[in-house]
Amino acid sequence: MSFIPFNRASLTGREFDYMQQAIDMMHISGDGPFTKKCSALLEQALGVPKVLLTTSCTHALEMAALLLNIQPGDEVIVPSFTFVTTVNAFVLRGAKPVFIDIRPDTLNLDETKFERLVTPRTRAIVVMHYAGVGCEMDAVQDIAERHGVAVVEDNAHGLFGKYQGRYLGTFGCLASQSFHETKNFTCGEGGALLINDPRYIERAEIIREKGTNRSRFFRGQVDKYTWVDLGSSYLPSDILAAFLYAQLEARDQIQADRRRVWDYYRDNLQDWAGANDIRLPIVPGHCEQPYHLFYLLLPSLQQRQDFIAHLKARDVLSVFHYLPLHLSEMGQRLGGKPADCPVTEEVSDRLVRLPLYNSLTQDDQRRAVSQIKEFSCSRPLK
Ligand SMILES: Cc1ncc(COP(=O)(O)O)c(C=O)c1O
């Protein structure tokens, strides 16, 4: 019996062909033909004014912090239940993170707790659409607008997901995507900055090109290029963009494969979960998810650990997810304390993610599901 990993990057078939083309054209640095094709595809598919490929989602978020001119002492509201990058990109500019708890249903930030965290120093809120299920953007945007707070979306999980019929990544003035190996679409390491407010476009190009106006120079808009602003090296090689283009072109197939896997888990685990006090993911009717991950919420930390060990002993890898950032070493140094975000603290202990990748075969998934169902939670003593 083969080992079933938690994640496996899948090829669509055209990656090497396109990488070869990039090499044949001898444009292997950034902003070559494939970088432009990826940007154009995403701009068109999502209806975003400008998409800039970046070396990672982390770097797209760092660019967002630079574009918003985040300064030491500014406050940025961020979920505690997220990847470190969502927060670190802003802390790097000197911001103070203000952690917001999550909703118990979608595990997205709890918009009803947003307004009370706003102070005169609040500059931005960074929403992260967990599992690609949209945050309650109507409420978030309403509060943000009333208080003059910028909305940034960390959409690492959510490419092609929708909230109220509108693509995730198109709500904030800026949004980030990840093309890391663990994401639905990948080039190993990569990302994108989605720019919904056109006022940021020109400066974003400069920041991505080490603080120079090189992009304007290549378009013939200036006759030499020079250092004009802050910036760094956030532009990926066209070889990686070529790999990514093959994946983005095959988006319908990739999403259909992931949907098949996700639906199979839901359909086949529902009864078992109900009998064992285990909760499956909740996707509200007004959200369309991109099938990024499938999680279970076990009744307790101990049962979650027992479940992971049970599957591991049967060659199936399941993994927990984010640890509360406000309780991390750095989070506590920045003022985080136990009980600041009680839902985050509880969910983080109880959550486990199941294997989900495009090429997970039905045979392997059937085997994983039957081994999952061998596990039963002994009821907690009353
Ligand atoms: C929510 C979230 N944001 C950002 C990132 C960072 O992405 P990258 O590795 O592309 O920098 C991740 C990575 O898993 C993530 O889960």
Side-chain angles (χ1 to χ4, degrees), residues 15-72:
E15 285 85 352
F16 292 116
D17 181 21
Y18 287 165
M19 287 165 82
Q20 184 68 51
Q21 285 182 34
I23 292 164
D24 289 346
M25 286 186 279
M26 261 326 202
H27 193 131
I28 57 176
S29 58
D31 245 349
F34 282 103
T35 309
K36 294 194 167 79
K37 276 174 190 273
C38 288
S39 299
L41 184 151
L42 289 169
E43 283 162 11
Q44 221 172 22
L46 302 172
V48 169
K50 189 78 183 169
V51 173
L52 294 180
L53 286 199
T54 56
T55 30
S56 65
C57 180
T58 301
H59 282 166
L61 288 164
E62 287 180 17
M63 287 180 66
L66 282 163
L67 284 165
L68 293 176
N69 271 325
I70 299 294
Q71 301 293 321

Coordinates of all heavy atoms in Angstrom, one line a residue, residues 15-72:
E15 N 4.0 22.3 -18.7 CA 5.0 23.1 -17.9 C 6.3 23.1 -18.6 O 6.9 24.2 -18.8 CB 5.1 22.6 -16.5 CG 4.0 22.9 -15.6 CD 2.8 22.0 -15.6 OE1 2.8 21.1 -16.5 OE2 1.9 22.1 -14.8
F16 N 6.8 21.9 -19.0 CA 8.2 21.8 -19.5 C 8.3 22.4 -20.9 O 9.3 23.1 -21.2 CB 8.7 20.4 -19.5 CG 8.9 19.8 -18.1 CD1 8.2 18.8 -17.7 CD2 9.8 20.4 -17.3 CE1 8.3 18.3 -16.4 CE2 10.0 19.9 -16.0 CZ 9.2 18.9 -15.5
D17 N 7.2 22.3 -21.6 CA 7.2 22.8 -23.0 C 7.3 24.4 -22.9 O 8.1 25.0 -23.6 CB 5.8 22.4 -23.6 CG 5.6 23.0 -25.0 OD1 6.7 23.3 -25.6 OD2 4.5 23.1 -25.4
Y18 N 6.5 25.0 -22.0 CA 6.6 26.4 -21.8 C 7.9 26.9 -21.3 O 8.4 27.9 -21.7 CB 5.4 26.9 -21.0 CG 4.0 26.8 -21.6 CD1 2.9 26.9 -20.9 CD2 3.9 26.7 -23.0 CE1 1.6 26.9 -21.5 CE2 2.7 26.6 -23.6 CZ 1.5 26.7 -22.9 OH 0.3 26.6 -23.5
M19 N 8.4 26.1 -20.3 CA 9.7 26.5 -19.8 C 10.8 26.5 -20.9 O 11.7 27.4 -21.0 CB 10.1 25.6 -18.6 CG 9.3 25.9 -17.4 SD 9.4 24.6 -16.2 CE 10.9 25.0 -15.4
Q20 N 10.7 25.5 -21.7 CA 11.7 25.3 -22.8 C 11.5 26.6 -23.8 O 12.5 27.1 -24.2 CB 11.4 24.0 -23.6 CG 12.3 23.8 -24.8 CD 13.7 23.4 -24.3 OE1 13.9 22.6 -23.4 NE2 14.7 24.2 -24.8
Q21 N 10.3 27.0 -24.0 CA 10.0 28.1 -24.9 C 10.7 29.4 -24.3 O 11.3 30.2 -25.0 CB 8.5 28.4 -25.1 CG 7.9 27.4 -26.0 CD 6.4 27.8 -26.2 OE1 6.0 28.9 -26.1 NE2 5.6 26.7 -26.3
A22 N 10.5 29.5 -22.9 CA 11.1 30.7 -22.3 C 12.6 30.7 -22.5 O 13.3 31.7 -22.7 CB 10.8 30.7 -20.8
I23 N 13.2 29.5 -22.3 CA 14.7 29.4 -22.5 C 15.1 29.6 -23.9 O 16.0 30.4 -24.2 CB 15.2 28.0 -22.0 CG1 15.0 27.9 -20.5 CG2 16.6 27.7 -22.4 CD1 15.0 26.5 -19.9
D24 N 14.3 29.1 -24.9 CA 14.6 29.3 -26.3 C 14.6 30.8 -26.7 O 15.4 31.3 -27.5 CB 13.6 28.5 -27.2 CG 13.9 27.0 -27.1 OD1 15.0 26.6 -26.6 OD2 13.0 26.3 -27.6
M25 N 13.6 31.5 -26.1 CA 13.5 32.9 -26.4 C 14.6 33.7 -25.7 O 14.7 34.9 -25.9 CB 12.1 33.5 -25.9 CG 11.0 33.0 -26.8 SD 9.4 33.8 -26.4 CE 8.9 32.8 -25.0
M26 N 15.3 33.0 -24.8 CA 16.4 33.7 -24.0 C 15.9 34.9 -23.2 O 16.6 35.9 -23.1 CB 17.6 34.0 -24.9 CG 18.7 33.0 -24.8 SD 18.7 32.4 -23.1 CE 20.2 31.7 -22.9
H27 N 14.6 34.8 -22.7 CA 14.2 35.8 -21.8 C 13.9 35.1 -20.5 O 12.8 34.6 -20.3 CB 13.0 36.5 -22.3 CG 12.7 37.8 -21.5 ND1 12.5 39.0 -22.0 CD2 12.7 37.9 -20.1 CE1 12.4 39.9 -21.0 NE2 12.5 39.3 -19.9
I28 N 14.9 34.9 -19.7 CA 14.7 34.1 -18.5 C 14.7 34.9 -17.2 O 14.4 34.4 -16.1 CB 15.8 32.9 -18.4 CG1 17.2 33.5 -18.4 CG2 15.6 31.9 -19.5 CD1 18.2 32.4 -18.2
S29 N 15.0 36.2 -17.3 CA 14.8 37.1 -16.2 C 13.3 37.4 -16.1 O 12.5 36.8 -16.8 CB 15.6 38.4 -16.3 OG 15.3 39.0 -17.5
G30 N 12.9 38.4 -15.3 CA 11.5 38.7 -15.1 C 10.9 39.6 -16.1 O 11.6 40.1 -17.0
D31 N 9.6 39.6 -16.1 CA 8.8 40.5 -17.0 C 8.9 40.1 -18.4 O 8.8 41.0 -19.3 CB 9.1 42.0 -16.7 CG 7.8 42.7 -16.2 OD1 6.7 42.1 -16.2 OD2 8.0 43.8 -15.8
G32 N 9.2 38.9 -18.7 CA 9.2 38.4 -20.1 C 7.8 38.0 -20.6 O 6.8 38.3 -19.9
P33 N 7.8 37.3 -21.8 CA 6.5 37.0 -22.4 C 5.6 36.2 -21.4 O 4.4 36.4 -21.4 CB 6.9 36.2 -23.6 CG 8.3 36.6 -23.9 CD 8.9 37.0 -22.6
F34 N 6.1 35.2 -20.7 CA 5.2 34.4 -19.8 C 4.7 35.2 -18.6 O 3.6 35.0 -18.1 CB 5.9 33.1 -19.5 CG 5.9 32.1 -20.6 CD1 7.0 31.9 -21.4 CD2 4.7 31.4 -20.9 CE1 7.0 31.0 -22.4 CE2 4.6 30.5 -22.0 CZ 5.8 30.3 -22.8
T35 N 5.6 36.0 -18.1 CA 5.1 36.9 -17.0 C 3.9 37.7 -17.4 O 2.9 37.8 -16.7 CB 6.2 37.8 -16.5 OG1 7.4 37.1 -16.3 CG2 5.9 38.6 -15.2
K36 N 4.0 38.2 -18.6 CA 2.9 39.1 -19.2 C 1.7 38.3 -19.5 O 0.6 38.7 -19.2 CB 3.4 39.8 -20.4 CG 4.5 40.8 -20.1 CD 4.8 41.8 -21.3 CE 5.6 43.0 -20.9 NZ 7.0 42.7 -20.8
K37 N 1.9 37.0 -19.9 CA 0.7 36.2 -20.2 C 0.0 35.8 -18.9 O -1.2 35.8 -18.9 CB 1.2 34.8 -20.9 CG 1.4 34.9 -22.4 CD 2.0 33.5 -22.8 CE 2.5 33.5 -24.2 NZ 1.5 33.1 -25.1
C38 N 0.7 35.5 -17.9 CA 0.1 35.2 -16.6 C -0.7 36.4 -16.1 O -1.8 36.2 -15.6 CB 1.1 34.8 -15.5 SG 1.9 33.2 -15.8
S39 N 0.0 37.6 -16.1 CA -0.7 38.8 -15.6 C -2.0 39.0 -16.4 O -3.0 39.3 -15.8 CB 0.2 40.0 -15.7 OG 1.3 39.8 -15.0
A40 N -1.9 38.9 -17.7 CA -3.0 39.2 -18.6 C -4.2 38.2 -18.3 O -5.3 38.6 -18.2 CB -2.6 39.2 -20.1
L41 N -3.8 36.9 -18.2 CA -4.8 35.9 -17.9 C -5.5 36.2 -16.6 O -6.8 36.2 -16.6 CB -4.1 34.5 -17.9 CG -5.0 33.3 -17.7 CD1 -4.4 32.1 -18.3 CD2 -5.3 33.0 -16.2
L42 N -4.8 36.6 -15.6 CA -5.4 36.8 -14.3 C -6.2 38.1 -14.3 O -7.3 38.2 -13.8 CB -4.4 36.9 -13.2 CG -3.7 35.5 -12.8 CD1 -2.5 35.7 -11.9 CD2 -4.7 34.6 -12.1
E43 N -5.7 39.1 -15.0 CA -6.4 40.4 -15.1 C -7.8 40.2 -15.8 O -8.8 40.7 -15.3 CB -5.6 41.5 -15.9 CG -4.5 42.1 -15.1 CD -3.4 42.7 -15.9 OE1 -3.7 42.9 -17.1 OE2 -2.4 43.1 -15.4
Q44 N -7.7 39.4 -16.8 CA -9.0 39.2 -17.6 C -9.9 38.3 -16.9 O -11.1 38.6 -16.8 CB -8.6 38.5 -18.9 CG -9.4 39.1 -20.1 CD -8.8 38.6 -21.4 OE1 -8.2 37.5 -21.4 NE2 -9.1 39.3 -22.4
A45 N -9.4 37.2 -16.3 CA -10.3 36.2 -15.6 C -11.0 36.8 -14.4 O -12.1 36.5 -14.1 CB -9.5 35.0 -15.3
L46 N -10.2 37.7 -13.7 CA -10.7 38.2 -12.4 C -11.4 39.6 -12.6 O -12.1 40.0 -11.7 CB -9.6 38.3 -11.4 CG -8.9 37.0 -11.0 CD1 -7.7 37.3 -10.1 CD2 -9.8 36.0 -10.3
G47 N -11.0 40.2 -13.7 CA -11.5 41.6 -13.9 C -10.7 42.6 -12.9 O -11.3 43.5 -12.3
V48 N -9.4 42.4 -12.8 CA -8.6 43.3 -12.0 C -7.8 44.2 -12.9 O -7.2 43.8 -13.9 CB -7.6 42.4 -11.1 CG1 -6.6 43.2 -10.4 CG2 -8.4 41.5 -10.2
P49 N -7.7 45.5 -12.5 CA -7.0 46.5 -13.4 C -5.6 46.1 -13.6 O -5.0 46.3 -14.7 CB -7.1 47.8 -12.6 CG -8.2 47.6 -11.6 CD -8.4 46.1 -11.4
K50 N -4.9 45.6 -12.6 CA -3.4 45.3 -12.8 C -3.0 44.1 -11.9 O -3.3 44.1 -10.7 CB -2.6 46.5 -12.5 CG -1.1 46.4 -12.8 CD -0.9 46.6 -14.3 CE 0.5 46.3 -14.7 NZ 0.7 46.3 -16.2
V51 N -2.3 43.1 -12.5 CA -1.8 42.0 -11.7 C -0.3 42.0 -11.9 O 0.2 42.0 -13.1 CB -2.4 40.7 -12.1 CG1 -1.7 39.5 -11.4 CG2 -3.9 40.7 -11.8
L52 N 0.5 42.0 -10.9 CA 1.9 41.9 -11.0 C 2.4 40.6 -10.3 O 2.1 40.4 -9.2 CB 2.6 43.1 -10.2 CG 2.4 44.5 -10.8 CD1 3.2 45.5 -9.9 CD2 2.9 44.6 -12.2
L53 N 3.0 39.8 -11.1 CA 3.6 38.5 -10.5 C 4.7 38.9 -9.6 O 5.4 39.9 -9.8 CB 4.1 37.6 -11.6 CG 3.2 36.9 -12.5 CD1 4.0 35.7 -13.2 CD2 2.0 36.4 -11.8
T54 N 4.8 38.2 -8.5 CA 5.8 38.4 -7.5 C 6.5 37.1 -7.2 O 6.1 36.0 -7.6 CB 5.3 39.0 -6.2 OG1 4.3 38.1 -5.7 CG2 4.7 40.4 -6.5
T55 N 7.6 37.2 -6.4 CA 8.3 36.0 -6.1 C 7.6 35.2 -5.0 O 8.0 34.0 -4.8 CB 9.7 36.4 -5.6 OG1 9.6 37.7 -5.0 CG2 10.7 36.5 -6.7
S56 N 6.6 35.7 -4.3 CA 5.8 35.0 -3.3 C 4.6 35.8 -2.9 O 4.6 37.0 -3.2 CB 6.7 34.6 -2.1 OG 7.1 35.8 -1.4
C57 N 3.7 35.2 -2.2 CA 2.6 35.9 -1.6 C 3.2 36.8 -0.5 O 2.7 38.0 -0.3 CB 1.6 34.9 -1.1 SG 0.2 35.6 -0.3
T58 N 4.2 36.3 0.2 CA 4.8 37.1 1.3 C 5.3 38.4 0.7 O 5.1 39.5 1.3 CB 6.0 36.3 1.9 OG1 5.5 35.1 2.4 CG2 6.7 37.1 2.9
H59 N 6.0 38.4 -0.5 CA 6.5 39.6 -1.1 C 5.4 40.5 -1.6 O 5.5 41.7 -1.5 CB 7.5 39.2 -2.2 CG 8.8 38.8 -1.6 ND1 9.8 38.2 -2.3 CD2 9.3 39.0 -0.3 CE1 10.9 38.0 -1.5 NE2 10.6 38.4 -0.3
A60 N 4.3 39.9 -2.1 CA 3.2 40.7 -2.5 C 2.6 41.5 -1.3 O 2.3 42.7 -1.4 CB 2.1 39.9 -3.1
L61 N 2.6 40.9 -0.1 CA 2.1 41.5 1.1 C 3.1 42.6 1.5 O 2.7 43.7 2.0 CB 1.8 40.5 2.2 CG 0.5 39.7 1.9 CD1 0.5 38.4 2.8 CD2 -0.7 40.5 2.2
E62 N 4.4 42.3 1.4 CA 5.4 43.3 1.7 C 5.2 44.6 0.8 O 5.3 45.7 1.3 CB 6.8 42.8 1.6 CG 7.1 41.8 2.8 CD 8.5 41.2 2.7 OE1 9.4 41.7 2.0 OE2 8.7 40.2 3.3
M63 N 4.9 44.3 -0.4 CA 4.7 45.4 -1.4 C 3.5 46.2 -0.9 O 3.5 47.4 -1.0 CB 4.5 44.9 -2.8 CG 5.8 44.4 -3.4 SD 5.5 43.8 -5.1 CE 5.1 45.3 -6.0
A64 N 2.4 45.5 -0.5 CA 1.2 46.2 -0.1 C 1.5 47.1 1.1 O 1.1 48.3 1.2 CB 0.1 45.2 0.3
A65 N 2.3 46.6 2.0 CA 2.7 47.5 3.2 C 3.5 48.7 2.8 O 3.3 49.8 3.3 CB 3.5 46.6 4.2
L66 N 4.4 48.5 1.8 CA 5.1 49.7 1.3 C 4.2 50.6 0.6 O 4.3 51.9 0.7 CB 6.2 49.2 0.3 CG 7.5 48.6 1.0 CD1 8.3 47.8 0.0 CD2 8.3 49.7 1.6
L67 N 3.3 50.1 -0.3 CA 2.4 50.9 -1.0 C 1.5 51.8 -0.1 O 1.1 52.9 -0.5 CB 1.5 50.1 -2.0 CG 2.3 49.6 -3.2 CD1 1.5 48.5 -3.9 CD2 2.5 50.8 -4.2
L68 N 1.1 51.2 1.0 CA 0.2 51.9 1.9 C 1.0 52.8 2.8 O 0.4 53.5 3.7 CB -0.6 50.9 2.8 CG -1.6 50.0 2.0 CD1 -2.3 49.0 2.9 CD2 -2.7 50.9 1.4
N69 N 2.3 52.9 2.7 CA 3.1 53.7 3.5 C 3.0 53.5 5.0 O 2.9 54.4 5.8 CB 2.8 55.2 3.2 CG 3.6 55.8 2.1 OD1 4.8 55.4 1.9 ND2 3.0 56.6 1.3
I70 N 2.9 52.2 5.3 CA 2.8 51.9 6.7 C 4.0 52.3 7.5 O 5.1 52.1 7.0 CB 2.6 50.3 6.9 CG1 1.3 49.9 6.2 CG2 2.6 49.9 8.4 CD1 0.0 50.4 6.8
Q71 N 3.8 53.0 8.6 CA 4.9 53.6 9.4 C 4.9 53.1 10.8 O 3.9 52.6 11.3 CB 4.7 55.1 9.5 CG 4.6 55.9 8.2 CD 5.9 55.9 7.4 OE1 7.0 56.0 8.0 NE2 5.9 55.7 6.1
P72 N 6.1 53.2 11.5 CA 6.1 52.7 12.8 C 5.0 53.4 13.7 O 4.8 54.6 13.6 CB 7.5 53.2 13.3 CG 8.3 53.2 12.1 CD 7.4 53.6 11.0

